[in-house]
Amino acid sequence: MQDPIIKVRDVAWIRLGSPDLDQAERFLTDFGLLRQVRTENALYMRGTGDAHHLHITERGPDRVLGVAFHADSEADLHRLAAHAAGASGVEALNEPGGGKRVRLKDHNGFTMEVVHGVATVATLPERHSLLNTGAERPRLGQLQRIEPRPCQVKRMGHAVFSTPDIEGSVAWAHRHFGFMVSEHVHAEDNPDFLLASFNRADRGDEFVDHHIMMFGRHSRAGLNHISYEVQDMDDLHAGHDWLQQQGHYHLWGIGRHLLGSQVFDYWKDPWGRVHEHWTDTDTLNASMAPRLVPKSQGLKSQWGPQAPQEFREAASV
């Protein structure tokens, strides 16, 4: 593979089009995000971390408008603009949070934004459960009581795209964003036929999430899901119950993935776009080599339900 043009630092946000901002805000609030800014035509939602926003909804047709990633520097934006085919110039982000960006199309024609200089905000108080386990009991004389409530989303974790050409998608992401492969998953009887690819940021010796972008083989290109980290296991379960009580569409979970190890729970927004809660992920650094695993050792849950066909076929455009 060619050397990457830049190495992105992390995923930043999803940008979706939705015809009804009130409906979008209701779902996202129940999902555990908080309104940062709302204008006549756009909604910016944040988590408890210091990111200005993690989710943008623009008023308009139901569609995927883009996924954004953080660059390390403005110099990286200029490098990407100069060397990525079809990239925009470095342009001001004239929206809440400010900053600058470069826009480009990925292997399947989806818009990717690479941003730098977006404002940060003060973190918010977080609820964490103190757990007594078989190994130790740090909670002494305190009763554990979890109130009915939405969970508290902390940050965006990853984006997953369906693609008919996994090899091409992985090569594009490596070239433009510097991703490293954590795992390739292949067909049981054919190691050369990839079914999925989990990719992480390359931060050298620093340990990072198991993946910030995954590609799954599908006949149609599209966004399979976006994923957000919540505070802990209790927070995830409380959020699950809250979303159920509010009548939202549950797709899959609660369970624990095999690759990445996240405890997961998947929901659909009013337009069918899949949003995931997760807690507890594997972390890797650049010294850890890619793994090639068969489907039976990759695309399954360690515990909890296995993926329904509806999840495998999700590909919002």
Side-chain angles (χ1 to χ4, degrees):
M1 283 188 179
Q2 290 178 290
D3 289 338
I5 299 171
I6 67 168
K7 295 181 179 181
V8 299
R9 178 164 51 85
D10 204 353
V11 64
W13 60 69
I14 185 73
R15 191 184 294 269
L16 299 175
S18 299
D20 188 326
L21 293 187
D22 289 336
Q23 206 173 359
E25 185 169 2
R26 176 178 174 263
F27 169 77
L28 293 170
T29 301
D30 287 339
F31 186 75
L33 290 159
L34 301 167
R35 184 204 285 194
Q36 177 69 294
V37 177
R38 179 164 168 175
T39 68
E40 182 180 352
N41 292 307
L43 173 66
Y44 299 81
M45 303 292 283
R46 67 166 292 180
T48 62
D50 67 358
H52 184 274
H53 54 272
L54 306 171
H55 195 294
I56 303 172
T57 307
E58 297 184 8
R59 189 191 303 278
D62 160 23
R63 58 195 179 118
V64 179
L65 299 174
V67 177
F69 296 87
H70 289 291
D72 269 333
S73 66
E74 187 174 331
D76 275 354
L77 296 186
H78 286 281
R79 189 175 300 112
L80 189 63
H83 296 287
S88 71
V90 177
E91 54 191 25
L93 267 168
N94 295 316
E95 59 185 11
K100 296 183 178 180
R101 74 175 173 189
V102 171
R103 289 175 295 119
L104 61 164
K105 299 287 188 180
D106 79 344
H107 177 66
N108 291 303
F110 286 99
T111 297
M112 300 285 158
E113 302 175 65
V114 180
V115 302
H116 181 71
V118 180
T120 57
V121 292
T123 59
L124 298 176
E126 298 171 346
R127 300 176 297 256
H128 294 277
S129 294
L130 188 61
L131 301 179
N132 288 333
T133 69
E136 57 180 335
R137 297 190 173 188
R139 195 181 78 251
L140 303 175
Q142 301 175 44
L143 304 181
Q144 191 81 282
R145 299 293 183 266
I146 311 300
E147 298 293 329
R149 52 172 169 76
C151 69
Q152 286 191 307
V153 166
K154 185 179 185 73
R155 64 187 184 96
M156 189 172 178
H158 57 262
V160 174
F161 279 86
S162 300
T163 174
D165 177 11
I166 289 181
E167 294 83 358
S169 293
V170 171
W172 188 94
H174 169 81
R175 170 63 176 157
H176 294 84
F177 296 160
F179 288 158
M180 302 185 71
V181 174
S182 297
E183 270 108 4
H184 281 326
V185 181
H186 62 78
E188 203 68 26
D189 57 352
N190 186 357
D192 295 323
F193 188 75
L194 295 186
L195 299 175
S197 178
F198 295 80
N199 295 260
R200 66 185 186 275
D202 180 0
R203 308 301 298 164
D205 292 337
E206 179 185 344
F207 283 86
V208 300
D209 288 356
H210 176 269
H211 61 282
I212 58 173
M213 182 171 267
M214 177 195 161
F215 302 103
R217 186 174 294 279
H218 194 283
S219 59
R220 181 166 67 105
L223 177 72
N224 178 270
H225 72 270
I226 50 172
S227 182
Y228 290 89
E229 183 181 11
V230 302
Q231 306 301 325
D232 54 34
M233 194 83 75
D234 277 327
D235 197 40
L236 185 141
H237 276 268
H240 174 97
D241 288 351
W242 181 265
L243 284 160
Q244 274 194 330
Q245 291 164 15
Q246 307 312 308
H248 296 292
Y249 190 106
H250 184 241
L251 178 59
W252 180 28
I254 297 170
R256 184 183 282 277
H257 289 305
L258 180 58
L259 300 185
S261 301
Q262 301 91 344
V263 177
F264 64 82
D265 196 27
Y266 292 86
W267 296 83
K268 283 190 173 184
D269 77 359
W271 297 277
R273 285 84 62 103
V274 181
H275 291 57
E276 178 193 11
H277 286 149
W278 64 264
T279 188
D280 186 22
T281 182
D282 293 337
T283 59
L284 311 176
N285 67 11
S287 70
M288 306 181 81
R291 297 174 63 242
L292 183 65
V293 297
K295 179 181 178 181
S296 61
Q297 297 177 30
L299 302 180
K300 61 184 294 187
S301 303
Q302 298 191 62
W303 53 258
Q306 303 304 312
Q309 192 63 31
E310 184 179 0
F311 174 80
R312 297 190 188 99
E313 293 177 352
S316 300
V317 296

